[in-house]
Amino acid sequence: MPRFYATAFQSTHVVLTQQTRRATLGLYRSLLRSSKKYEQHDKIKNIIQQKFRANQHITSRPKVLELLSEANKINQHLQKPSLQIKQRVGQYLQNEIKEKKQPEKKKMKKKKHRKRKPYQVALTVTHSSGYQFKRVRGWVQPVKTSMIIKKFTKTVQKRLDRYSALQEQLDMVKKELQFEMSLGIRDYRSWLQCEKYIRDALEYYHKKNLKMKTIEETDEKKNKNK
C-alpha cells in the first residue's frame, strides 16, 4: 500500500505527525473500499490514487485540512450508493475523461513556394570527400544536406584513421619479419600471412575512399529500402 500522508505536519510534534498519517491512510483505504460498490470501480480507484499522489507534497496546513475534509465528505457519499449518487459519480467520470482528452492539433499552414530569381541557379558542388550535391545560388543550404555532408565527412575520416592505423601495423610487421630473418628463424609464415591480411584491408579502405557517390543516389537507396 503506498504511504500517502500530509507532509505539512512533518515538522510539528511527532505524535501529531503520526496521527495525521494514520488518519490520511485510513481515509485513503476507506475511499478504496467504498469505490468497490460501484460498477466503475477501476476508474474511481485510479482517480483516488491520482488525487492523493498529486496532493501528497502540499505543505500548507489549511490546504491539507481542507483536502482531508473534502475527501471525508466524498467518502461519506460513496458509502451510500443511492441512484442520485451513482448518477453524480458517472457525470464526474465523464467530465474527467473529457478533461484528459488531448487538444486537437493545429493545422499547419502550407509553405509558399516562391519562384526563383534569375541568378538563383542550381549548381552541382563536389565535396572534398568526393560526394556531389545540388546547391541553389543565393539560398540557405538545407539542414538535411548539411547533416548528410557531416555524416559523409565523419565516415571518410574514420576510414582514413583506420587506413593510417593499418599502415603503422604493416610497418611493425615488416620490422618484426626482418628482425626474425636476421636471427635466422626460418618459420616466418605467420608474419607473411599477417602482412597479406593487412594489405587486403588497406586495399579495401583505399577503394572505399575513392568511391564516388551523390546525395541523390543515397536518398534513392534509402527510399528503396523503406
Side-chain angles (χ1 to χ4, degrees):
M1 177 66 68
R3 300 179 65 182
F4 299 115
Y5 56 88
T7 57
F9 294 93
Q10 287 185 354
S11 61
T12 59
H13 198 270
V14 178
V15 177
L16 181 59
T17 305
Q18 292 176 353
Q19 290 176 356
T20 308
R21 185 181 300 175
R22 290 196 206 99
T24 308
L25 287 172
L27 183 59
Y28 175 74
R29 294 191 185 101
S30 181
L31 283 166
L32 292 178
R33 284 195 297 269
S34 301
S35 65
K36 293 180 180 179
K37 300 177 182 179
Y38 297 85
E39 295 179 358
Q40 307 95 335
H41 165 61
D42 295 334
K43 294 180 181 178
I44 298 172
K45 180 182 176 182
N46 291 334
I47 291 172
I48 292 169
Q49 290 176 345
Q50 290 172 7
K51 294 293 183 183
F52 271 81
R53 286 196 188 98
N55 298 319
Q56 65 176 331
H57 297 294
I58 292 176
T59 56
S60 173
R61 296 182 188 180
K63 183 66 176 176
V64 170
L65 292 173
E66 181 185 348
L67 290 170
L68 290 175
S69 60
E70 183 182 347
N72 190 26
K73 289 180 182 178
I74 293 171
N75 187 31
Q76 291 176 2
H77 288 299
L78 289 176
Q79 287 176 353
K80 301 173 183 178
S82 61
L83 181 61
Q84 185 179 1
I85 297 296
K86 288 181 179 179
Q87 290 177 353
R88 291 177 65 182
V89 169
Q91 186 64 33
Y92 178 79
L93 292 174
Q94 289 179 1
N95 294 335
E96 283 288 323
I97 293 170
K98 287 180 181 178
E99 289 179 0
K100 288 183 179 179
K101 283 185 177 179
Q102 296 181 354
E104 295 181 358
K105 294 182 179 179
K106 294 182 180 179
K107 293 182 179 179
M108 299 294 290
K109 293 182 179 179
K110 293 183 178 179
K111 293 183 179 180
K112 294 181 180 179
H113 295 282
R114 297 179 180 178
K115 292 183 179 180
R116 294 183 186 177
K117 295 180 181 179
Y119 66 88
Q120 292 177 334
V121 185
L123 304 173
T124 302
V125 182
T126 304
H127 190 250
S128 60
S129 59
Y131 293 95
Q132 295 179 349
F133 59 95
K134 298 289 185 180
R135 177 182 287 175
V136 179
R137 183 184 294 167
W139 280 11
V140 178
Q141 183 170 288
V143 178
K144 182 181 178 182
T145 306
S146 301
M147 296 305 294
I148 291 172
I149 294 170
K150 185 178 179 181
K151 185 179 178 182
F152 286 163
T153 305
K154 284 184 176 181
T155 305
V156 171
Q157 188 60 44
K158 285 180 182 178
R159 289 173 184 166
L160 291 173
D161 294 341
R162 182 60 179 162
Y163 191 83
S164 60
L166 288 170
Q167 282 184 329
E168 292 178 2
Q169 292 175 9
L170 183 61
D171 293 338
M172 291 171 60
V173 169
K174 286 181 179 180
K175 289 178 182 178
E176 289 291 334
L177 180 60
Q178 290 176 0
F179 179 70
E180 289 190 2
M181 290 176 68
S182 64
L183 293 176
I185 300 174
R186 296 181 180 179
D187 190 11
Y188 44 80
R189 294 179 184 175
S190 58
W191 290 114
L192 293 175
Q193 191 174 9
C194 185
E195 184 179 351
K196 181 180 179 300
Y197 290 153
I198 294 173
R199 288 186 182 279
D200 292 341
L202 285 170
E203 186 178 356
Y204 170 78
Y205 281 104
H206 182 65
K207 288 181 179 178
K208 277 283 186 181
N209 290 335
L210 292 177
K211 190 175 181 180
M212 301 290 288
K213 192 187 297 181
T214 62
I215 289 177
E216 287 78 7
E217 290 174 354
T218 55
D219 290 339
E220 287 177 3
K221 283 187 177 181
K222 287 180 181 178
N223 294 330
K224 286 180 181 178
N225 293 331
K226 288 180 181 179

